[in-house]
Amino acid sequence: MVPLRIDLYSDTQTRPTPAMRAAMAEAPVGDEQHGEDPSVNALIARMCALTGKEAAVFLPSGTMCNEIALLVHCRPGDEVLADRSSHIIHYEGGAPGALAGVMVQPLDGVRGVFEAAQVKAAIRPDSRYFPRTRLLAVEQTANLGGGTVWPLATLQAVAAAARAAGLATHMDGARLMNAVVKSGTPADDFAAPFDTVWIDFTKGLGAPLGAVLCGSAALIEQAWRWKQRLGGALRQAGMCAAGCLFALDHHVARLAEDHANAAALAAGIARLAGVTVEPQETNLVFFDVAGTGRGAQAVADAARAEGLRLTVMGETRMRACTHLDVTAAMIPEALAILGRAVRA
Ligand SMILES: *Cc1c(COP(=O)(O)O)cnc(C)c1O
């Protein structure tokens, strides 16, 4: 197989930089389960300040943040409202059903973003016939929606509609910092209407492991019990937390480069005959190759044969993702390879 030279598959593909590895190697550590790891504690303090929440818990992954949030907010048989494209529906192995015992009612948003009126319409009346609608969940940015940034006013409106009916609110902020850098809106403003919020350190922030779930002290205390039950309590996790702290210090502002690279990529893809590009806002570029007469898998295979990796999202829908390990100089080459792949 031709060596992989340009990996636009996902921002999860980033490798820790030498400087990040050095910070990790030197991290002071202790027993995380007992609250005695100084690096984890420092990360938690940073995340509380960043999101404006009272408490936080370090977890191995974003998926565990989402699932623990469902477990904390809901009882079995409850219903969660989320966009049809959401990660909890598609990529968590059915865990909302398997672990929390909840149902997810999919809302039909536009590019992953829905409106308050849709939330109001979806909330079920209090009746013994219906599941209890209990939680509203949103993704900032909306991944399968196209890396879409929810406008602050829309987030506030959907959360207000949920609260008015007694629902709890949760933000999957896997790429919250992309939204912050793109919009200039501070993370705590986006997070304010939500009871729980988390960010992922393994996406554009470039750390090898870790996500932090934030909320009130009472909610995070419950989250900690689930973390223990699920086997997520850690020991000298400070080595990983140090990578996350390094990312907060050095890898947030540079997300703007990923967005600029994605914009250049989107503009170039739009010029390819038979290819249509969805609106690009952050580091994700979705496009459709239907007009080329080729399928997404065939295009992906042809690109991979030249050292470029892309994601197949459907029969003809594809995704390219920019991140820490993608340089501006790679974009013209990626476009040249993709141009050949769609014609092959
Ligand atoms: C990646 C992702 C997750 C899951 O995070 P992991 O750290 O990979 O478990 C959840 N939600 C969204 C929107 C994501 O993109």
Side-chain angles (χ1 to χ4, degrees):
M1 169 110 54
V2 174
L4 183 57
R5 282 178 298 124
I6 306 176
D7 196 350
L8 302 181
Y9 174 77
S10 171
D11 43 9
T12 55
Q13 302 303 306
T14 54
R15 308 283 165 88
T17 61
M20 180 182 277
R21 286 172 191 256
M24 296 173 74
E26 287 156 17
V29 295
D31 188 342
E32 190 266 351
Q33 188 186 57
H34 291 183
E36 292 170 0
D37 189 295
S39 301
V40 172
N41 293 345
L43 177 62
I44 285 184
R46 277 289 284 280
M47 286 300 295
C48 289
L50 183 70
T51 60
K53 301 298 182 202
E54 194 181 10
V57 56
F58 186 59
L59 291 167
S61 71
T63 300
M64 205 186 271
C65 290
N66 272 343
E67 293 307 325
I68 286 182
L70 297 182
L71 285 157
V72 164
H73 290 301
C74 303
R75 293 199 305 257
D78 284 351
E79 183 179 58
V80 177
L81 305 181
D83 189 78
R84 185 173 295 284
S85 70
S86 64
H87 198 278
I88 57 170
I89 294 179
H90 295 283
Y91 296 132
E92 300 188 8
L99 299 181
V102 297
M103 320 190 23
V104 185
Q105 185 186 154
L107 304 185
D108 289 312
V110 176
R111 295 176 38 75
V113 174
F114 45 81
E115 302 289 333
Q118 290 173 278
V119 173
K120 282 192 194 122
I123 295 170
R124 298 178 195 265
D126 186 12
S127 156
R128 67 179 62 154
Y129 289 114
F130 300 131
R132 183 177 71 135
T133 313
R134 175 62 191 131
L135 177 70
L136 173 74
V138 304
E139 266 178 42
Q140 178 72 305
T141 65
N143 176 354
L144 293 196
T148 321
V149 179
W150 280 75
L152 180 59
T154 311
L155 283 176
Q156 289 168 337
V158 296
R163 268 178 208 292
L167 274 65
T169 52
H170 171 68
M171 174 181 279
D172 169 339
R175 296 187 182 81
L176 176 59
M177 299 319 289
N178 291 82
V180 167
V181 167
K182 172 71 187 188
S183 65
T185 301
D188 53 346
D189 285 355
F190 280 136
F194 295 87
D195 296 310
T196 45
V197 58
W198 62 271
I199 77 167
D200 208 333
F201 289 95
T202 65
K203 300 283 167 75
L205 295 180
L209 185 154
V212 174
L213 176 68
C214 309
S216 68
L219 286 172
I220 297 305
E221 188 54 36
Q222 292 178 54
W224 246 110
R225 185 176 292 262
W226 278 109
K227 167 169 161 153
Q228 178 67 25
R229 285 177 179 159
L230 296 171
L234 305 166
R235 299 302 181 187
Q236 287 71 35
M239 298 190 77
C240 296
C244 303
L245 281 165
F246 184 92
L248 287 176
D249 286 336
H250 302 281
H251 293 172
V252 173
R254 67 150 305 285
L255 292 171
E257 294 171 34
D258 296 345
H259 300 166
N261 289 339
L265 197 58
I269 295 173
R271 286 193 290 270
L272 300 176
V275 186
T276 52
V277 186
E278 298 175 23
Q280 170 274 332
E281 295 185 39
T282 53
N283 68 326
L284 305 176
V285 182
F286 286 78
F287 55 100
D288 197 297
V289 296
T292 66
R294 309 203 77 204
Q297 190 60 57
V299 172
D301 291 346
R304 182 63 189 83
E306 289 198 60
L308 169 68
R309 190 153 73 135
L310 299 161
T311 313
V312 173
M313 302 299 306
E315 286 296 306
T316 56
R317 193 180 187 218
M318 303 187 71
R319 189 185 82 174
C321 175
T322 56
H323 51 76
L324 189 57
D325 295 343
V326 175
T327 64
M330 291 177 182
I331 302 302
E333 194 187 351
L335 286 169
I337 294 173
L338 181 59
R340 287 190 289 275
V342 295
R343 284 193 305 269

